[in-house]
Amino acid sequence: MPNDQAVSDSIAASALAALSTVEPRPGVPKPDPIMVADHVRRSFGGLTAVNVEHVEIQRGAITALIGPNGAGKTTFFNLITGFDDADEGTWTFNDRQVAGTAPYKLARIGMVRTFQLTKALSRMTVIDNMRLGAKHQTGERFFAAILPFLWNSQEKSVGQKAMGLLERFNLHEKVGDFAGSLSGGQRKLLEMARALMADPELIMLDEPMAGVNPALKQSLLGHIKTMREEGTTVLFVEHDMDMVHDISDWVIVMAQGEVIAEGPPDTVMKNQAVIDAYLGAHHEAQLTETGETLTESSDGDSA
Amino acid sequence: MDWSFVLTQTLTQAIGIQAIIYCLAAIGLNVQFGYTGLLNFGQVAFVAAGSYAVGVIVLTFDLSLWLAIVVGVVVALVIALILGIPTLRLRADYLAIVTIAFSELVRLTVRSIAFKDVLGGAQGLNGKLGQDFHDTNPLPADFQSLPVLSWTRQDLWVVIVGWILVALFTLLVWLLVRSPWGRIVRGIREDEAAVVSLGKNVFAYKLQALMLGGVIGAFGGIVWAVAKQSVQPDTFRPEFTFFAYTILLLGGAARVFGPIVGAILFWIILAGTGEFLGQAIQAGWIDFLQPTDVGNIRFVLMGSGLIALMVFRPQGIFGDRRELALDAK
Ligand SMILES: Nc1ncnc2c1ncn2[C@@H]1O[C@H](COP(=O)(O)OP(=O)(O)OP(=O)(O)O)[C@@H](O)[C@H]1O
Ligand SMILES: [Mg+2]
């Protein structure tokens, strides 16, 4: 176990070291890509929602995908994970051609995503939601299902794993509650924890922080970093620039369906095209303002 | 007014052969609709498959009933594949439309002149359909009748085996829905995309649920043919399916015992009001109704009751409100 930890630590570390030498321009090749997409295009009627020439996602790193509303980020997620069909294009996952593969198969080979509009199964309990995430369950097969002795012990270990994750995500007191009784932010957490039950190699999070309170955001940032340390590659969409700045190793910017910039967070946020298309000229000022508001409110709380 | 007649008649029907047939159909629907969320509006086609398998194999081809049962199961599985493969990848409504159309297609085909030699046309198939089964009757030959329940020796044997079948299928459903398999289908009922995103082959699970529910429905048809020793095409109208849904909703969808409770209640209401109104008219208590109106009035009452139930207890009598199968949220 400590050995594993050391190995994955070194994966993460070497990924980061490698990224630091990569030139910040759209479509740039990465030293060890887990996912490579080429000429991916999707249009709705006359509108081209996604038109990505070439993009690579570095293995072991945390990559942020940012861009204005309607830039095509969610659509790109949907295409890559097979939930929507691309008009054209190819992409590989772990060097394997996966365009046109059924979405459940992609999830099985390690590409697991969450949704912008949370999909917690509200009529099932929190623990059942979690259990659903585990892969290779014997009791999921029809004939094995009616013979509980075949899957009871596996069910126990799946339950233990679920409890561990729920504790990490601060949901352990909700184990037996219906997911429908959770708040919006708690559902986001549950969805993320559930995705981790499937041991993804690449986890794709669509706005994981939307509607999550500041304190919880801090611990979520921690969770996402932990994922990286455990060897999971993270690709996430987010509008919260503080967070993007804080945790991402690499940022990809989309606008009007195309990748317009790539690079480490600092470089990207100074990029004029990105400021024009997304951040706005005053984004730094706004960031500090938000920072101040945060400090004020936490001061207010402690007083 | 003969109260004891009303009561014994009602009780006999509440746990009688018809109740068993509808109960089996409703157990099938519970797997499909209650747990998996599949809108199968053509359950009667599976029931017809069971009945006609018995009719055709035993009467037309003069083969054994036991073979007919195997054929009935196989035909139900094939129907589920034919209906499911093209529709289960599409939105939920497609299955509903296709199944109801298919069930009418089945009825019109089996009653058509073209296949009269094999399927019996509009008269259906009548004869010693269930003889192989009735030969196994262990009840004493001089058996008259139970104290209150007025079944013949032959019917009582059907009722006993029928309820054993109900118990076995209920046990099967119970085992399935509390397993990881059941967790997946309940997830599918609520949000397919979420389940797909966790690496489950949703299409395969929906197909399995459709097949299992269809086979259980076919057993309803087999019981019917064996008990009545006759298969009539026009008994397989779409309203059969809707009565089965009524039963499921009465008892509570997605409850293991829902179909049993629902079937008994359904026949208590239907038979009870029928017998009661019949007696009341005879006794002169009600003078604005003719005895011939009774058959229809009881369905009006059943419909009103169902509406009231949906308004005040949408989860069914024993359903769990937190696990409502019907809310659109
Ligand atoms: N199913 C659809 N039908 C028609 N147009 C669509 C559909 N899905 C997305 N679009 C369009 O495609 C474009 C990209 O949408 P997408 O949801 O990918 O944006 P996004 O980058 O995720 O935005 P946001 O940050 O607001 O979530 C939008 O202009 C949107 O209107
Ligand atoms: Mg989006």
Side-chain angles (χ1 to χ4, degrees), chain A residues 44-61:
Chain A
F44 297 105
L47 175 107
T48 304
V50 167
N51 187 9
V52 170
E53 267 314 301
H54 182 85
V55 76
E56 301 187 359
I57 307 296
Q58 172 67 21
R59 185 190 312 278

Side-chain angles (χ1 to χ4, degrees), chain A residues 212-289:
Chain A
V212 176
N213 68 11
L216 207 50
K217 262 183 201 169
Q218 286 306 317
S219 66
L220 263 185
L221 293 182
H223 296 324
I224 294 179
K225 283 181 188 157
T226 315
M227 288 180 205
R228 175 181 61 191
E229 272 143 34
E230 286 168 352
T232 308
T233 308
V234 182
L235 174 63
F236 73 103
V237 172
E238 190 50 66
H239 286 297
D240 181 333
M241 280 307 114
D242 284 335
M243 165 181 175
V244 170
H245 197 258
D246 197 355
I247 62 164
S248 38
D249 306 315
W250 193 258
V251 180
I252 298 173
V253 190
M254 275 181 85
Q256 293 174 340
E258 298 178 19
V259 175
I260 60 161
E262 270 192 55
D266 282 324
T267 320
V268 162
M269 284 177 194
K270 288 193 198 97
N271 182 317
Q272 194 56 42
V274 178
I275 295 174
D276 290 346
Y278 182 52
L279 298 170
H282 301 295
H283 76 280
E284 304 224 32
Q286 277 169 1
L287 279 182
T288 23
E289 260 173 41

Side-chain angles (χ1 to χ4, degrees), chain B residues 71-135:
Chain B
V71 171
V73 170
V74 171
V75 172
L77 291 174
V78 171
I79 292 178
L81 289 174
I82 292 172
L83 293 176
I85 288 175
T87 57
L88 289 178
R89 288 183 208 275
L90 307 173
R91 250 187 16 227
D93 357 10
Y94 287 89
L95 180 69
I97 297 164
V98 168
T99 47
I100 193 168
F102 182 81
S103 77
E104 274 294 82
L105 188 86
V106 165
R107 183 177 68 87
L108 295 172
T109 306
V110 295
R111 79 193 298 285
S112 74
I113 301 273
F115 308 109
K116 196 170 188 304
D117 293 343
V118 183
L119 301 169
Q123 277 79 49
L125 296 160
N126 308 287
K128 300 209 161 208
L129 297 181
Q131 200 52 51
D132 287 350
F133 172 79
H134 296 301
D135 286 345

Side-chain angles (χ1 to χ4, degrees), chain A residues 108 122 132 134 137 140 155, chain B residues 181 183 190 199-200 205 327:
Chain A
R108 277 191 194 172
S122 54
L132 203 52
Q137 297 187 55
E140 290 180 347
E155 186 81 350
Chain B
W181 187 91
R183 194 155 61 215
E190 206 174 326
K200 317 295 177 194
Y205 284 93
D327 74 343

Side-chain angles (χ1 to χ4, degrees), chain A residues 71-125:
Chain A
K73 306 178 297 292
T74 298
T75 309
F76 185 65
F77 264 34
N78 289 344
L79 295 175
I80 296 301
T81 53
F83 280 80
D84 190 6
D85 297 321
D87 300 337
E88 56 181 79
T90 55
W91 55 97
T92 60
F93 179 68
N94 276 331
D95 298 323
R96 181 168 151 190
Q97 279 295 338
V98 289
T101 307
Y104 81 89
K105 285 187 188 153
L106 288 174
R108 277 191 194 172
I109 61 172
M111 192 196 276
V112 179
R113 54 98 46 105
T114 64
F115 296 86
Q116 182 169 2
L117 297 173
T118 326
K119 290 189 182 295
L121 297 162
S122 54
R123 281 189 231 130
M124 289 168 68
T125 58

Side-chain angles (χ1 to χ4, degrees), chain B residues 105-173:
Chain B
L105 188 86
V106 165
R107 183 177 68 87
L108 295 172
T109 306
V110 295
R111 79 193 298 285
S112 74
I113 301 273
F115 308 109
K116 196 170 188 304
D117 293 343
V118 183
L119 301 169
Q123 277 79 49
L125 296 160
N126 308 287
K128 300 209 161 208
L129 297 181
Q131 200 52 51
D132 287 350
F133 172 79
H134 296 301
D135 286 345
T136 65
N137 195 332
L139 296 165
D142 58 352
F143 174 88
Q144 287 303 316
S145 155
L146 292 177
V148 176
L149 304 159
S150 50
W151 291 305
T152 63
R153 173 174 180 272
Q154 184 172 316
D155 281 354
L156 179 58
W157 180 224
V158 176
V159 167
I160 292 169
V161 175
W163 282 113
I164 291 174
L165 275 177
V166 167
L168 287 176
F169 283 124
T170 302
L171 176 70
L172 177 66
V173 171

